Amino acid sequence: MRRSGSTLAMVGGLCLAIAGTAPALAHEHPSGITDLVTPAVVRIEATANVDITLLDHIGELVHVERSYRVPIGSGTGTVVNPEGGIVTLTRVVTTDRDVRIHAANKIFAEHHKVKIPADFERHRLKDDRLDHHLQECYPPKRSTATCIVDVTTEITVFPNISPADEKGFKAEIVRAGDTPDSPAVLSPVGRADGSAGLPTAPLAATVPSKEGSPVAVAGFTGRPAANLPETVDIAHLRAGGAGEGGRQFKDPENKVDEPRKLGALIDKGLLGGPVIEDKKGEVVGLLVGGGTEARMIGIREVTKALAEANVTPGRGPIDAAFEQALTRFHTHYYGDAVPAFQRVLDLYPGHTVAAAHLKTSQAKRGTAEDQATRTAATSTDTPRGAPLWPFVAGGGLLVLAVLTTAFLLWRRRPADTGPDTGPATGPGTAADTRPPLLDPPSVPPRQVLDDQADSTRVVSRSFPALPKLSSTAPGPVLVARDPGAQTGPDVKPADATVQQKYCTGCGMRLGPAHSFCGYCGQPTKT
């Protein structure tokens, strides 16, 4: 009964869900299924550490040493395997601007007290002597150079954990693309996040081809913090577009200028962020663009870059536990979701999405919203809204089937006795007046079939009555007429009467040559 109630409730819920979504078939709205991806979204900041030495020999030779941290790029990345493999855009971690020029401008301005912008452009000074030294400081390096420059790139990854990791962990470029908007692959260095690894995002096999396919975008507009969680927004893909040119975005109802909206998010930090397919919650591409336009490079380019970098995407134990917990949570089994989310936090204590859903599950556990509570109630009560007539009809059919089967079995049982032809005269009946010692051993009755065409009957026949004692037989020998003997005009008189001997001890029928009773051993007398 409990299984039947829960099944009806689930079917009813599915019917309501289908009915509720029917009006939306003309325009699909994103459902916001991003939980599988957002734990794997990270903030990426790339800087160039520039160590520069200025050889000032205008007067006495002086070595002026400075170190500068020059921002290269920042944006969003996605972890694609438990070992920490990350995919983002090339222009997030590299730049086409020469950081050596930036360092030369700064060191000259600081040391010689001149006004030079701290940018990436070459400048000229009014003082010819200083200008000559400045031009010799700019790259490329020459034998007459006045500056010695050493540049190293530092990439810092800030994971989506709580409490926030202010230091992050370092990563290196495994593979950079040929263009700024091509995928780049990173690998962590110098830090292990436990034996379970990192949360990962599932990658889709293909990109939705339908016009107006709903998607979601995710990323960080700054370093993750308690007051700065990941940003998630919705969008729709246009049909067509492939390669690094990417797919464009467009609202099917033209209510929102999606390219401008997403372009603003890209400028704030969502550059390289994942584009998430709506049905399965898988990554279908990376976000590129900025300003008033936004595009998506497809998953084919992403997987190609991963293959060239020898980085295999995959899922880990954290993801397996998290998916099980999400299944319980999104089906409203909040009581079952609590230990499942606690398991996720045991594997990865900083899992922000698991922590948020655990708090919600604890608040709703045992309430009317908990599906487990509803299921328990249906075991004692009739499901709300479920009609009773199917149960009544089913019970009536079951009883009818049992009664019909019993009646058929009763009709097919074999008959115990034949038709009533008068009082029984067999042994043991009231009409049997023979002495007990003369009764023959009990013999099971034989069944005789009636060959009449109009009926089939089983007729039983009792053992024939013992014959009376003959006065002419010598000694204890008994004489009887064989009931099966034939009579008639063609039968000789000698055959009409057959001498039959019986044992005087037990009454057993004896043959003509018997000297002892085969039943009790009593000797016969002739």
Side-chain angles (χ1 to χ4, degrees):
M1 183 68 177
R2 178 175 180 177
R3 184 181 298 273
S4 300
S6 60
T7 302
L8 288 174
M10 292 178 66
V11 172
L14 290 175
C15 294
L16 291 176
I18 295 173
T21 57
L25 293 178
H27 172 58
E28 296 182 72
H29 293 275
S31 61
I33 301 177
T34 59
D35 288 344
L36 293 176
V37 177
T38 52
V41 175
V42 296
R43 166 78 173 181
I44 299 175
E45 295 180 1
T47 58
N49 296 326
V50 184
D51 296 327
I52 184 170
T53 301
L54 172 63
L55 304 177
D56 179 11
H57 49 80
I58 294 179
E60 294 183 358
L61 181 60
V62 177
H63 290 187
V64 182
E65 296 180 353
R66 295 286 190 274
S67 293
Y68 302 109
R69 291 177 60 86
V70 182
I72 292 178
S74 62
T76 298
T78 307
V79 181
V80 295
N81 67 15
E83 290 76 22
I86 301 170
V87 64
T88 185
L89 292 184
T90 298
R91 65 184 171 116
V92 172
V93 293
T94 63
T95 180
D96 54 358
R97 300 181 298 181
D98 197 334
V99 296
R100 296 174 297 176
I101 296 176
H102 179 273
N105 289 336
K106 290 195 70 173
I107 197 170
F108 245 81
E110 293 173 359
H111 180 65
H112 292 289
K113 308 301 180 184
V114 294
K115 292 183 179 180
I116 303 176
D119 55 18
F120 297 88
E121 302 295 331
R122 297 174 184 264
H123 297 279
R124 307 291 301 197
L125 297 176
K126 294 181 179 180
D127 188 319
D128 293 337
R129 192 175 184 185
L130 286 178
D131 183 67
H132 174 72
H133 281 270
L134 176 60
Q135 301 308 316
E136 291 293 328
C137 185
Y138 287 142
K141 184 179 179 180
R142 296 179 294 270
S143 59
T144 59
T146 58
C147 292
I148 301 174
V149 185
D150 182 31
V151 180
T152 58
T153 302
E154 182 179 276
I155 301 173
T156 306
V157 179
F158 298 91
N160 186 9
I161 60 176
S162 180
D165 186 352
E166 297 179 357
K167 295 182 179 180
F169 60 90
K170 305 302 178 184
E172 62 182 2
I173 301 175
V174 180
R175 187 263 188 195
D178 298 330
T179 63
D181 286 338
S182 58
V185 181
L186 312 179
S187 179
V189 294
R191 166 177 167 175
D193 282 76
S195 59
L198 295 172
T200 69
L203 303 182
T206 58
V207 177
S209 59
K210 181 181 177 182
E211 176 76 20
S213 296
V215 294
V217 297
F220 285 98
T221 59
R223 291 186 180 181
N227 58 350
L228 187 60
E230 72 276 0
T231 298
V232 179
D233 210 331
I234 62 175
H236 300 81
L237 289 173
R238 298 194 66 174
E244 294 184 359
R247 295 273 295 274
Q248 296 179 338
F249 296 92
K250 186 179 185 299
D251 182 7
E253 296 181 349
N254 293 322
K255 294 182 178 180
V256 179
D257 186 354
E258 289 189 352
R260 183 180 295 274
K261 178 188 72 171
L262 298 179
L265 291 175
I266 291 173
D267 293 340
K268 291 180 180 180
L270 268 67
L271 178 65
V275 179
I276 308 167
E277 189 266 339
D278 185 63
K279 302 300 181 183
K280 297 181 180 179
E282 299 174 333
V283 177
V284 294
L286 303 180
L287 197 60
V288 300
T292 60
E293 65 95 17
R295 292 171 288 110
M296 179 198 76
I297 59 172
I299 193 63
R300 184 175 59 183
E301 286 70 36
V302 174
T303 54
K304 179 182 177 182
L306 290 170
E308 293 176 354
N310 292 323
V311 174
T312 304
R315 308 280 279 163
I318 299 174
D319 309 307
F322 185 54
E323 288 185 12
Q324 294 179 0
L326 282 180
T327 300
R328 292 167 172 81
F329 180 80
H330 288 300
T331 54
H332 308 297
Y333 282 87
Y334 299 111
D336 297 336
V338 169
F341 283 125
Q342 289 174 340
R343 170 61 178 164
V344 177
L345 292 174
D346 289 340
L347 293 172
Y348 194 73
H351 204 294
T352 56
V353 182
H357 288 341
L358 173 61
K359 185 177 181 180
T360 303
S361 299
Q362 289 174 333
K364 295 184 177 182
R365 177 174 54 182
T367 65
E369 297 182 62
D370 191 347
Q371 187 64 33
T373 303
R374 297 180 183 180
T375 304
T378 58
S379 63
T380 55
D381 301 329
T382 302
R384 186 176 182 180
L388 291 177
W389 67 266
F391 301 100
V392 176
L397 290 176
L398 180 61
V399 172
L400 180 61
V402 172
L403 293 177
T404 302
T405 304
F407 177 75
L408 293 175
L409 293 176
W410 178 77
R411 288 290 305 272
R412 295 180 60 184
R413 80 187 196 283
D416 292 335
T417 59
D420 188 9
T421 57
T425 58
T429 61
D432 186 9
T433 57
R434 293 173 296 173
L437 291 179
L438 298 180
D439 291 340
S442 176
V443 179
R446 293 184 301 171
Q447 296 181 349
V448 180
L449 298 180
D450 193 347
D451 294 333
Q452 295 181 5
D454 58 345
S455 64
T456 301
R457 293 181 300 171
V458 178
V459 181
S460 61
R461 185 176 63 184
S462 60
F463 195 85
L466 292 176
K468 297 180 180 181
L469 294 176
S470 176
S471 57
T472 59
V477 178
L478 302 179
V479 179
R481 181 182 300 273
D482 188 355
Q486 299 181 0
T487 58
D490 296 334
V491 179
K492 297 179 181 181
D495 296 333
T497 302
V498 178
Q499 294 292 333
Q500 177 63 53
K501 295 190 287 185
Y502 292 89
C503 177
T504 58
C506 64
M508 183 65 183
R509 185 181 299 179
L510 301 177
H514 283 179
S515 302
F516 297 89
C517 177
Y519 186 77
C520 66
Q522 178 75 22
T524 61
K525 298 179 180 180
T526 57

